[in-house]
Amino acid sequence: MAQSIAKEFTKGLWTEIAPFRIVLGLCPILAVTNTVENGIGMGLATTFVLVFSNFFVSLFRNSIPAKVRIPCFIVIIATFVTIVELLMQAYTYPLFLKLGIFIPLIVVNCIVLGRAEAFASKNAPHLSIADGLGMGIGFTFSLAVLSAVREIFGTGAITFYETPIVLFGPSFEPFTFMVEAPGAFVCLGLLLCIMNLIPKK
Amino acid sequence: MREMIKMVMVLTIITAVSGGILSVLKTSTEEKIESQVLKFQKAPAIGAIFDTATNDPLKERFKIPTKVKDKDIEITFFPAVLEDGSKAVAFEAKGAGFGGDVGLMVGIDLETDKIIKARVTTHSETPGIGSRVKDDATYVSQFTGMGFDATFKLKNNGGDIDALSGATVTSKGVSVAAAQVKKLYLKLKPQILNKMK
Amino acid sequence: MIKRPFTGLSQPKLKYDSVESDPKGPETVLMPSNILLLLNDSLDSLRTSLIKKEDQVKKGEKLSLYTESTEYVISPVSGVIKKIESYPGEFGNIKTYLVIGTEENDDFVNDFEEHADKFELEAAAKLLKSLPGAPPFETLIDPTKKIHTLVISGVDEDLASTTRQYFLSTAPEDLKEGIKILQNLTKIPKIILTVPEGFNVEFEISGMQVFNISSFYPNALPEMIMKNQLKTTVPQGKTCEDIGVCFISSEAVVSIAKACRDKKVHFEKLVCVTGKDGVQKRIKTSIGTPVKSIFKHLNIHTNKNDRIVIGGPFKGFSVFTIYHPVQPCMDSIIVQDAGIIPFVSDSACINCGKCIKICPANIPVNLLVRQLEANLFEEAKETFDLESCIECGLCSYVCTAKIPIFQYIRLGKHELLKMKTETEKEGANG
Amino acid sequence: MDNKIKLTVSHAPFWHDGDSICKMNLHIMLAAMPAVIFGIVQFGMPALGVILLAVSSSMFFELIMNFATKRSLSTGDFDAALIGLLFGMMLPATTPWWVVVIGAFVAIVIGKQIYGGIGANPFNPVLVGVAILMVSWPGYFDSDAALLNYQFDFKALAPLAALKHQGVSAIDFFPIKTLIMGQQVGTIGTNFGLGLILGGIFLIIKGYIRWEITISYIAGIIITALIFNLSNSGSYAGPMFHLFSGYTLFGAIFLATENSSSPVNLIPMLIYGFLGGLMVILIRNLGAYPDGTVFAILLINLINPLIDYIRPKALGRGVNNA
């Protein structure tokens, strides 16, 4: 049993890492990865929603009729998204200001509904939590990697809580394209390409 | 039929529970959020507007209940005494922008009835386009010194406000907020003066 | 070979060869000791064939593999069958070739004699199909195709050939006679004779019209004649015959006339041979003569990796052996030296648009070829007009990326046909 | 039927007009030569350095991608070299080496190879490279600043930037004749109007670019600029100034006509070219950038697949006669 929990947890970290292996959740990964701070914040918020929605969906999976399962999942997910939004507003307000409109969009993030539908509605709660946690951490990791690439090349530094860690000297001229929207597409494409060159195992 | 009932039941229960949890959470975090909003949103705007205030406008804030479009709301006012001794008040109004409401904080000199400064507080505008109304102080600086005889509409609608190029909808939201400020101020001025005595 | 002109503004003009004003008669190539006959039928090991090795055949004897076969050849010589073997054709079509060792005797089986005076279409289809020029009697007797127009082509469809024009200008009397025979035989009301631009037809037949055909490729292709002269368009996926127009070469008409006059079939085929030096020669030889004998006569040497093209540079096919026999429909032979054979490449389409400009059928070739490369035959047919192609081959001729577009198109059509027959079969079974 | 001689067997047609991708690209490069040589003469050795670096790094990245994607080597068709050459021509002579290399990387890898190589790119790779550089390091594309250390015997101002910042009165500095003769501040290979026109005529005659696109593009420029100019000659420059300044002619001859990203049917080509010219003038007169060629052509590249659906009806399509 411990083995299967570990298996469900680790698959989200590499073999099924979103969005590089399962191409889901592209909206946030394109929208908020201009800084590492935003990327990780978004990833953690998604992880939170993912774990709890997975848990509750899994808990009620036997009592939810199949015909209304999607509305039920959406209600559960939306509840946790609102909770995240309120909590972020209350405790990490500057981050909330930055992620602003993207937080409510977690509801329609394919990963969350995708895991609820594909995994949590068919598996026991403890496995679902492991799955959600693994997927969420993997997603956070992906967002962090992509946003790190973009922020480093785009600004020459990584900024955490307004303290920049300068990685290149003053002679570095920022590749501004990378932090702009088209840069996200190109960068994501190149990372997807590299991930496909690396074998799964 | 039974299945139908079950479906309705389950959905009702889930939504009810969810609604309950959320309302509890909303009320319990309301205060915290308000203080956060004050700290991170209103405070910088107030600070920028009343950069020469001798008192603490945040602390001395007061609320006046009023009706906007048949809805009872409370408006928070931030009074200030400036270095030159003049009294002023700042408050926020909202107008619909591209992604949601745009909040505009306006500081008004109570004696001359002129706008001291205006700042955008909240918005959900597209980063890089509409968000410039907040990031770019030169845009809202056009309000400085305007009196309430001005028409708070965009210039191409026959008003006095310049639009921010490329962000007409957001600019329109800002002008609507400014017009709202004008309306509220003219309506509530006696009460404000009363409170500030 | 015609190269790209210096200016690329105008389309390349590929002018048909025209026959000289006073054409030289063909040189005769004698029949070698062994001849080959190609039979459009495949060997079936389960059945016993009518003919087998060591069988004696007589000149004029009708040879077919099985009793129920409709395909036949008529032996041009008397001799012994030395070999019967399968011959792989295009797209896996299996044909059969017979090698006959000629013998010095003059046995002549003349099945046609009794029909010659007042023969009918049925008999003609049974006996005259392999006349030089390959007259399309099968189409004419096909009840599903209501042929209302018969076009006698006095112009050669493809370049590097003047065979049909030669008959048009040297045998007007035979042609006239042949047309009259066909008129009586088929009762087709509308007869059309196509001639090159500026050619004067010296005879008149009531009910016959004469059309002048532009002297640039591909204007002599049947579909182009339909479009330019007959002002009718062949619907996608249909042939000219499907809408009632049948084409017959001038050589076939002359052959029919001769056969009726002499009361026997004959086997002398006229072929235009273009050597490696580009010089065109006209030869006359019996059907079944391997091309090797022709080359020997004309002093053409074939080396390794040379290419022998049967039937024109655009619509012909290349053969893998120098023993390929002369066939009734073979109007021309081209020998290309290994050094000048153009490459084909596996490059992708670069979208240069030359094929679009040159395509006489307005096909979006640049998009079509992408579908065909990906084996999307249905899309190619539905959206990208695969079946509009009249198979002139010009797209491949001009292709900058040297993609074998024409071959892709033929493969696509073949695959579609295969799919269609398969679904029909399933429909019949289920 | 023994086979002593191995013959070549292939499929029809057995003739070819002798054209090839390599030949086509060499012709285009040849047509670009007058402008390139003029640029090297005008801007000296640094210009030659930029051009050579652009060509060589483009071919290098092409080679790298060939190995990475395990395909046969495609540098021999000179497509990468052509992209590099055109890309180099669009840079000021003082561009730092690393900007050139990054641009070549973007052009070849992101602009061309990741879509599948030659013929598959939806955008002109040269423009992808230039656009990304322009967005990231606009400073190096400001010809005025870049060419500060040069001494010219003509007005040392980039015509379009001058138009943008100083208004229509600025165009008096630039008589049309000096613009045509390349007497303007700008990039290496796009100034010399006469050379570009000669190259363009050569390519049109040889049939290596589609004249419909070039002509309609120029018509788009002239007509749109004329409309603006007539409506308010105080704020908008005339068509001739627009035609001979900046990237306009270069765009009309070498960029808009890029094979893979432009339409091939007659009417779409005319629409495509005209829209390109229209967009250039709109961006110049109403937008934020002094020269809109790069973005205008990228935009029309986008609509290419859509408008290329306008095509003549194929023979026998929809015909239903029995």
Side-chain angles (χ1 to χ4, degrees):
Chain A
M1 173 141 144
Q3 210 180 1
S4 64
I5 292 179
K7 199 185 117 221
E8 299 305 340
F9 176 72
T10 50
K11 73 164 191 281
L13 300 182
W14 185 251
T15 53
E16 285 182 29
I17 186 168
F20 294 138
R21 294 278 193 223
I22 45 167
V23 188
L24 291 178
L26 291 182
C27 166
I29 208 162
L30 292 172
V32 299
T33 52
N34 47 359
T35 66
V36 176
E37 202 179 350
N38 284 0
I40 292 179
M42 184 69 183
L44 292 179
T46 312
T47 309
F48 177 86
V49 175
L50 201 48
V51 169
F52 282 93
S53 67
N54 258 12
F55 175 69
F56 282 98
V57 165
S58 167
L59 210 56
F60 301 132
R61 69 183 189 280
N62 294 326
S63 44
I64 294 174
K67 276 184 185 163
V68 288
R69 68 183 194 285
I70 298 290
C72 290
F73 295 166
I74 290 287
V75 169
I76 292 172
I77 294 165
T79 310
F80 285 100
V81 171
T82 319
I83 291 173
V84 169
E85 197 180 2
L86 288 170
L87 291 180
M88 277 179 89
Q89 236 173 325
Y91 297 102
T92 57
Y93 197 73
L95 189 63
F96 170 77
L97 281 184
K98 274 191 190 154
L99 296 178
I101 56 169
F102 302 117
I103 292 291
L105 290 181
I106 297 177
V107 178
V108 287
N109 189 334
C110 304
I111 299 177
V112 185
L113 187 60
R115 292 327 290 176
E117 168 78 8
F119 192 89
S121 63
K122 292 170 192 142
N123 289 290
H126 61 279
L127 290 178
S128 300
I129 290 183
D131 174 74
L133 200 61
M135 280 286 162
I137 292 172
F139 184 58
T140 311
F141 174 72
S142 310
L143 286 169
V145 169
L146 183 60
S147 51
V149 173
R150 289 180 65 195
E151 193 177 4
I152 289 169
F153 283 107
T155 64
I158 292 186
T159 311
F160 275 115
Y161 275 91
E162 304 189 351
T163 41
I165 305 163
V166 180
L167 292 169
F168 298 112
S171 63
F172 175 76
E173 293 186 47
F175 191 13
T176 332
F177 171 75
M178 291 301 265
V179 286
E180 312 234 348
F185 282 93
V186 171
C187 206
L188 175 67
L190 291 178
L191 282 179
L192 276 172
C193 164
I194 292 169
M195 282 298 281
N196 272 312
L197 290 178
I198 306 171
K200 267 189 182 176
K201 276 169 190 164
Chain B
M1 194 63 204
R2 237 183 127 150
E3 195 193 12
M4 193 85 158
I5 292 171
K6 195 188 168 196
M7 265 156 55
V8 174
M9 288 280 288
V10 168
L11 252 183
T12 318
I13 292 169
I14 287 181
T15 34
V17 170
S18 143
I21 293 172
L22 287 182
S23 67
V24 169
L25 194 70
K26 174 93 182 167
T27 36
S28 61
T29 56
E30 200 163 20
E31 212 169 293
K32 181 75 185 162
I33 289 174
E34 203 190 329
S35 74
Q36 289 271 343
V37 169
L38 274 177
K39 189 173 150 202
F40 288 102
Q41 243 179 44
K42 306 266 155 71
I46 300 281
I49 291 166
F50 297 136
D51 47 356
T52 60
T54 53
N55 63 334
D56 185 352
L58 284 176
K59 234 177 205 166
E60 293 173 23
R61 68 179 190 272
F62 55 85
K63 287 181 178 177
I64 297 173
T66 182
K67 270 190 172 182
V68 175
K69 285 177 191 160
D70 296 330
K71 262 167 93 183
D72 293 311
I73 54 162
E74 278 189 329
I75 292 169
T76 316
F77 289 86
F78 303 93
V81 180
L82 302 183
E83 264 179 353
D84 55 0
S86 57
K87 279 185 173 179
V89 71
F91 66 100
E92 192 188 13
K94 286 183 173 168
F98 192 78
D101 281 348
V102 180
L104 185 72
M105 177 75 79
V106 181
I108 303 158
D109 191 318
L110 285 168
E111 277 139 46
T112 59
D113 287 351
K114 285 206 161 135
I115 295 176
I116 298 171
K117 263 177 197 169
R119 280 290 179 276
V120 171
T121 51
T122 52
H123 69 83
S124 330
E125 304 306 287
T126 322
I129 300 171
S131 71
R132 280 180 296 154
V133 293
K134 185 176 180 190
D135 307 333
D136 187 2
T138 50
Y139 175 68
V140 280
S141 66
Q142 62 173 307
F143 288 102
T144 306
M146 274 189 179
F148 286 112
D149 48 346
T151 318
F152 292 108
K153 272 184 181 173
L154 291 185
K155 274 192 174 149
N156 55 3
N157 292 339
D160 296 320
I161 314 272
D162 285 318
L164 184 64
S165 66
T168 322
V169 181
T170 313
S171 312
K172 209 173 155 194
V174 171
S175 70
V176 168
Q180 181 78 7
V181 166
K182 176 183 171 183
K183 205 169 139 195
L184 286 171
Y185 179 71
L186 296 179
K187 186 168 138 196
L188 300 175
K189 195 180 175 190
Q191 282 158 282
I192 296 168
L193 289 176
N194 195 30
K195 285 256 188 184
M196 280 181 69
K197 261 174 203 163
Chain C
M1 181 142 53
I2 297 164
K3 288 280 184 189
R4 188 173 204 271
F6 176 77
T7 58
L9 258 184
S10 57
Q11 291 305 320
K13 292 243 191 296
L14 297 162
K15 201 167 187 298
Y16 283 111
D17 299 88
S18 55
V19 74
E20 321 84 281
S21 55
D22 182 23
K24 261 198 297 183
E27 295 175 35
T28 309
V29 176
L30 294 173
M31 196 181 286
S33 54
N34 282 323
I35 63 142
L36 285 103
L37 293 175
L38 262 184
L39 187 50
N40 196 7
D41 203 352
S42 56
L43 275 174
D44 188 345
S45 55
L46 296 177
R47 291 190 286 178
T48 42
S49 58
L50 294 173
I51 43 173
K52 53 189 182 298
K53 241 170 123 173
E54 308 299 335
D55 272 6
Q56 281 284 335
V57 292
K58 286 173 186 155
K59 189 174 180 181
E61 192 177 324
K62 196 171 149 187
L63 306 173
S64 49
L65 280 181
Y66 307 105
T67 35
E68 58 269 40
S69 308
T70 52
E71 297 292 340
Y72 64 89
V73 281
I74 291 181
S75 173
V77 287
S78 306
V80 181
I81 299 179
K82 287 189 169 170
K83 229 180 218 178
I84 303 179
E85 251 166 54
S86 280
Y87 172 91
E90 278 194 310
F91 300 123
N93 270 336
I94 309 288
K95 296 179 181 181
T96 307
Y97 68 82
L98 318 169
V99 180
I100 297 171
T102 52
E103 277 173 6
E104 292 283 324
N105 61 11
D106 263 350
D107 291 346
F108 197 105
V109 185
N110 201 346
D111 291 333
F112 181 62
E113 201 171 10
E114 50 182 306
H115 296 282
D117 287 327
K118 53 174 188 63
F119 73 110
E120 282 168 354
L121 265 182
E122 299 285 328
K126 276 190 191 128
L127 294 165
L128 297 181
K129 211 174 75 179
S130 58
L131 275 185
F137 283 118
E138 277 180 333
T139 312
L140 291 171
I141 59 165
D142 189 342
T144 60
K145 294 181 174 134
K146 295 181 178 63
I147 303 293
H148 53 72
T149 309
L150 186 65
V151 181
I152 291 128
S153 2
V155 285
D156 296 271
E157 284 179 20
D158 209 335
L159 297 165
S161 162
T162 51
T163 305
R164 292 179 186 178
Q165 292 176 54
Y166 177 79
F167 282 102
L168 183 69
S169 54
T170 56
E173 286 309 314
D174 288 347
L175 198 59
K176 186 180 172 185
E177 203 186 314
I179 293 170
K180 277 185 174 162
I181 294 168
L182 278 172
Q183 229 172 0
N184 290 332
L185 199 60
T186 59
K187 308 282 184 290
I188 289 173
K190 198 170 172 188
I191 305 268
I192 287 160
L193 178 65
T194 60
V195 298
E197 261 175 340
F199 182 88
N200 285 322
V201 185
E202 288 155 5
F203 56 90
E204 263 181 54
I205 298 172
S206 64
M208 185 187 82
Q209 281 175 285
V210 176
F211 283 162
N212 285 304
I213 305 297
S214 153
S215 54
F216 293 101
Y217 188 77
N219 284 313
L221 293 188
E223 288 86 351
M224 295 308 286
I225 293 173
M226 296 285 287
K227 184 184 155 200
N228 294 337
Q229 271 77 30
L230 290 166
K231 311 284 178 208
T232 40
T233 322
V234 185
Q236 278 185 334
K238 291 252 169 78
T239 58
C240 300
E241 285 75 22
D242 287 338
I243 62 166
V245 183
C246 183
F247 286 77
I248 178 168
S249 82
S250 57
E251 187 182 19
V253 178
V254 171
S255 303
I256 292 169
K258 276 187 193 161
C260 289
R261 196 171 52 220
D262 302 344
K263 298 188 176 172
K264 65 177 186 185
V265 290
H266 58 104
F267 309 99
E268 300 285 271
K269 174 79 184 97
L270 191 81
V271 183
C272 281
V273 183
T274 309
K276 288 182 182 179
D277 49 1
V279 176
Q280 208 181 95
K281 283 191 179 132
R282 204 171 285 125
I283 60 109
K284 197 165 89 179
T285 187
S286 165
I287 288 169
T289 310
V291 288
K292 191 187 175 214
S293 311
I294 302 173
F295 296 157
K296 205 169 154 193
H297 180 89
L298 294 176
N299 234 347
I300 297 169
H301 300 285
T302 46
N303 305 318
K304 198 183 167 207
N305 291 344
D306 285 356
R307 185 158 66 184
I308 298 172
V309 177
I310 306 291
F314 283 92
K315 293 181 71 77
F317 58 95
S318 60
V319 291
F320 59 83
T321 164
I322 52 170
Y323 293 96
H324 194 85
V326 169
Q327 284 180 278
C329 58
M330 179 197 283
D331 282 351
S332 59
I333 301 171
I334 301 169
V335 185
Q336 288 179 322
D337 189 75
I340 63 148
I341 295 175
F343 286 107
V344 236
S345 82
D346 59 349
S347 166
C349 169
I350 59 163
N351 210 39
C352 66
K354 275 161 80 186
C355 48
I356 302 286
K357 275 190 184 162
I358 206 166
C359 180
N362 291 334
I363 297 171
V365 188
N366 60 331
L367 302 174
L368 176 65
V369 73
R370 282 157 214 244
Q371 310 297 314
L372 293 175
E373 277 174 338
N375 291 346
L376 300 170
F377 303 117
E378 292 283 337
E379 279 89 340
K381 177 188 157 192
E382 298 296 328
T383 322
F384 301 101
D385 304 311
L386 173 64
E387 292 190 327
S388 290
C389 180
I390 64 166
E391 307 198 359
C392 65
L394 281 171
C395 45
S396 299
Y397 171 74
V398 298
C399 184
T400 305
K402 296 186 175 162
I403 303 172
I405 308 172
F406 185 33
Q407 186 63 13
Y408 272 125
I409 288 177
R410 293 218 297 205
L411 179 71
K413 284 185 168 180
H414 172 75
E415 291 289 328
L416 278 176
L417 197 70
K418 218 165 76 180
M419 276 188 249
K420 201 177 150 198
T421 44
E422 266 164 27
T423 43
E424 268 169 16
K425 237 187 243 165
E426 273 169 32
N429 290 346
Chain D
M1 212 150 71
D2 49 340
N3 251 323
K4 278 176 194 144
I5 301 173
K6 272 210 169 113
L7 296 171
T8 304
V9 178
S10 59
H11 25 68
F14 301 98
W15 285 357
H16 192 271
D17 71 356
D19 213 352
S20 70
I21 302 176
C22 170
K23 229 179 201 176
M24 178 183 78
N25 287 333
L26 286 176
H27 272 92
I28 299 177
M29 283 163 87
L30 182 67
M33 276 307 137
V36 173
I37 291 166
F38 178 86
I40 292 168
V41 169
Q42 190 168 36
F43 299 108
M45 278 301 129
L48 182 64
V50 167
I51 295 278
L52 290 182
L53 183 62
V55 173
S56 54
S57 49
S58 294
M59 292 182 85
F60 173 73
F61 287 125
E62 175 97 354
L63 213 56
I64 296 285
M65 284 305 283
N66 285 157
F67 284 120
T69 53
K70 299 189 182 83
R71 289 192 179 193
S72 55
L73 301 187
S74 61
T75 44
D77 63 16
F78 287 99
D79 194 55
L82 175 67
I83 292 172
L85 179 70
L86 297 182
F87 169 68
M89 288 168 80
M90 293 182 75
L91 300 174
T94 51
T95 316
W97 66 269
W98 55 272
V99 173
V100 180
V101 173
I102 291 178
F105 172 82
V106 172
I108 293 295
V109 177
I110 295 175
K112 177 185 165 192
Q113 284 292 344
I114 57 173
Y115 294 107
I118 187 166
N121 47 303
F123 299 104
N124 188 337
V126 180
L127 289 174
V128 173
V130 173
I132 289 183
L133 295 188
M134 265 186 165
V135 169
S136 298
W137 297 285
Y140 293 119
F141 279 86
D142 184 350
S143 303
D144 289 330
L147 302 175
L148 211 56
N149 293 328
Y150 278 85
Q151 293 293 322
F152 296 116
D153 49 358
F154 48 85
K155 186 77 184 171
L157 271 180
L160 287 168
L163 175 70
K164 196 93 203 166
H165 302 307
Q166 299 173 20
V168 160
S169 60
I171 67 169
D172 296 337
F173 298 132
F174 312 105
I176 297 298
K177 206 184 131 211
T178 63
L179 288 180
I180 296 178
M181 291 313 295
Q183 309 275 304
Q184 53 176 316
V185 167
T187 51
I188 299 168
T190 60
N191 291 344
F192 186 34
L194 187 65
L196 291 172
I197 292 174
L198 286 179
I201 292 174
F202 171 70
L203 286 181
I204 286 175
I205 289 177
K206 290 292 283 178
Y208 284 120
I209 60 175
R210 281 162 249 159
W211 61 269
E212 295 90 340
I213 294 175
T214 303
I215 299 298
S216 60
Y217 185 91
I218 290 173
I221 296 266
I222 292 178
I223 292 171
T224 320
L226 200 64
I227 292 171
F228 271 102
N229 188 244
L230 290 179
S231 70
N232 187 352
S233 61
S235 353
Y236 302 117
M240 284 302 137
F241 176 79
H242 279 299
L243 188 59
F244 292 109
S245 57
Y247 290 147
T248 316
L249 276 176
F250 188 72
I253 293 160
F254 292 102
L255 298 178
T257 55
E258 201 266 339
N259 278 329
S260 162
S261 54
S262 56
V264 288
N265 291 307
L266 179 65
I267 295 167
M269 281 196 281
L270 297 177
I271 298 175
Y272 171 89
F274 189 85
L275 279 181
L278 179 98
M279 286 307 300
V280 170
I281 298 299
L282 285 185
I283 295 176
R284 283 183 186 179
N285 282 350
L286 307 175
Y289 284 90
D291 190 348
T293 309
V294 172
F295 297 107
I297 297 179
L298 283 174
L299 274 174
I300 52 171
N301 283 170
L302 262 182
I303 60 159
N304 158 40
L306 195 64
I307 54 172
D308 217 12
Y309 270 101
I310 307 170
R311 57 174 194 239
K313 204 172 79 177
L315 189 73
R317 185 177 182 80
V319 175
N320 222 352
N321 56 358

